[in-house]
Amino acid sequence: MTATYVPPSALKSRLMTALGLQSGNPSHEAVYLAVKAECATAYEATCGNRANLRPEFSRIVDKFTYNQMKESAIDNAIIQIYRNAQPNVRLWYDSWGVDGTSSNFIIRWFLYHLFRNRDARNDRKAKSMDFHADDDDEDSE
C-alpha cells in the first residue's frame, strides 16, 4: 500500500490514516512508536550540532524550532534515519512506498512534530500540563 502524502503540519490521525494504520490498534501503535523512536534519535543529533542552525539563529541557546534548522540538516537527518532504520521499520517504509531521499514525507512529518512538540513555544504548556509526557498529542500541529 503506497501511502498518501500528508504535509508535516497534519495531525497524527491524518498521518495514521494515510499510512493505513489505526490509532488504538496496539500493533499499529507499535509501528508508529518504532518510527518515532528512530526519528527522536536523529532529532537529538540534529539539535546537538549548532552547525545545523541557519546563520540568523546562531545565537539561540536551545529549544530550536524546525524552521531554525538548515533545510540541508533536515534533509540529511531524513536520509540518515532511513539509512539506519531497523529492518522491521524499513519494511514499513518500503510498504508505504517511500525511500531514503529527502522527499520521504513520513520521516519529515515525524521530525516536524518532534521539533514542534519540544520547542520553547511549549514550555508554559509543558510546565502546567505535563505536555511532554507523550510528545504527540493528537491535537498538536
Side-chain angles (χ1 to χ4, degrees):
M1 174 217 150
T2 300
T4 305
Y5 172 81
V6 294
S9 60
L11 294 176
K12 175 185 175 185
S13 58
R14 187 167 167 202
L15 177 74
M16 295 285 280
T17 299
L19 301 179
L21 303 176
Q22 296 175 340
S23 292
N25 178 319
S27 62
H28 291 183
E29 290 289 342
V31 170
Y32 176 88
L33 292 174
V35 174
K36 178 183 172 186
E38 290 187 359
C39 291
T41 300
Y43 162 85
E44 296 295 336
T46 301
C47 289
N49 184 349
R50 296 191 62 78
N52 289 329
L53 286 169
R54 292 180 181 191
E56 62 268 30
F57 300 112
S58 63
R59 294 182 184 258
I60 294 175
V61 178
D62 64 3
K63 303 270 185 165
F64 309 124
T65 68
Y66 183 89
N67 293 326
Q68 292 168 337
M69 305 306 280
K70 293 176 184 172
E71 187 62 29
S72 61
I74 299 295
D75 291 348
N76 288 335
I78 291 169
I79 292 165
Q80 289 304 312
I81 292 166
Y82 183 86
R83 198 175 281 159
N84 297 328
Q86 294 297 313
N88 62 322
V89 174
R90 177 70 65 84
L91 286 172
W92 281 101
Y93 290 143
D94 294 343
S95 74
W96 292 324
V98 294
D99 60 17
T101 66
S102 62
S103 65
N104 186 318
F105 72 91
I106 297 167
I107 294 174
R108 187 174 295 275
W109 184 93
F110 277 93
L111 283 175
Y112 177 88
H113 282 263
L114 285 163
F115 275 99
R116 179 72 178 106
N117 290 324
R118 295 178 182 188
D119 69 25
R121 293 173 288 185
N122 290 311
D123 279 350
R124 188 173 43 228
K125 188 173 181 181
K127 289 176 186 170
S128 66
M129 299 173 60
D130 194 23
F131 182 77
H132 297 296
D134 186 1
D135 270 344
D136 48 28
D137 181 6
E138 184 67 27
D139 295 325
S140 69
E141 295 178 18

